């Protein structure tokens, strides 16, 4: 199995920055994609950013130019640098990793436990 450990959330004032980390461990044969999603109270979970081998990245329009996703393949870790934070960025942020545990397995999506990001105005 694959375990994900997230860190880096917290409380910050509008205009501030935070950096989220998500480290994957366990029986990992290969990682296809890594990403961040968020869920605000009363809203559905939404994509924030993803990164695949390449690295090819994809961002939600609402965070383009402010957030940067990156990965360290040697550490099986994905990062989300969040700058110019706004109150509307307040949410629980979840890490998602699509990985295979052996050569013949179908890639499976694993989720982190979530980390709270709160941006005060």
């Amino acid at each position: 199995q694959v375990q994900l450990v997230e860190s880096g959330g917290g409380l910050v004032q509008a205009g501030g920055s935070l950096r989220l980390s998500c480290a994957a461990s366990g029986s990992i044969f290969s990682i296809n994609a890594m990403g961040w999603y968020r869920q605000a109270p009363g809203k559905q979970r939404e994509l924030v950013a993803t990164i695949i081998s390449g690295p090819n990245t994809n961002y939600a329009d609402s965070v383009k130019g402010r957030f940067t996703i990156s990965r360290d393949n040697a550490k099986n870790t994905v990062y989300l640098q969040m700058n110019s934070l706004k109150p509307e960025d307040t949410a629980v942020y979840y890490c998602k990793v699509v990985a295979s545990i052996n050569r013949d397995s179908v890639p499976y999506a694993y989720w982190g436990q979530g980390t709270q990001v709160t941006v005060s105005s």
Side-chain angles (χ1 to χ4, degrees):
Q1 292 298 319
V2 177
Q3 296 81 41
L4 303 181
V5 177
E6 302 170 4
S7 61
L11 173 64
V12 65
Q13 289 188 333
S17 299
L18 284 173
R19 188 190 194 209
L20 305 182
S21 300
C22 173
S25 62
S27 302
I28 300 172
F29 175 76
S30 65
I31 293 178
N32 298 55
M34 308 180 88
W36 291 94
Y37 292 70
R38 67 187 181 187
Q39 187 167 17
K43 295 187 177 181
Q44 290 188 332
R45 190 173 298 188
E46 64 177 3
L47 180 147
V48 176
T50 59
I51 184 168
I52 61 175
S53 300
N56 296 315
T57 58
N58 181 49
Y59 295 92
D61 288 343
S62 60
V63 306
K64 283 181 180 177
R66 300 188 298 122
F67 291 9
T68 302
I69 190 170
S70 61
R71 61 189 283 181
D72 184 331
N73 292 330
K75 297 181 179 180
N76 287 336
T77 299
V78 62
Y79 305 95
L80 185 68
Q81 178 66 44
M82 305 185 293
N83 298 328
S84 301
L85 282 161
K86 305 175 181 180
E88 50 263 44
D89 294 318
T90 295
V92 177
Y93 283 69
Y94 296 90
C95 169
K96 177 184 175 182
V97 172
V98 180
S100 300
I101 60 173
N102 59 55
R103 186 189 307 274
D104 299 319
S105 67
V106 176
Y108 184 82
Y110 298 88
W111 289 89
Q113 78 284 1
T115 185
Q116 177 71 45
V117 171
T118 303
V119 185
S120 63
S121 58

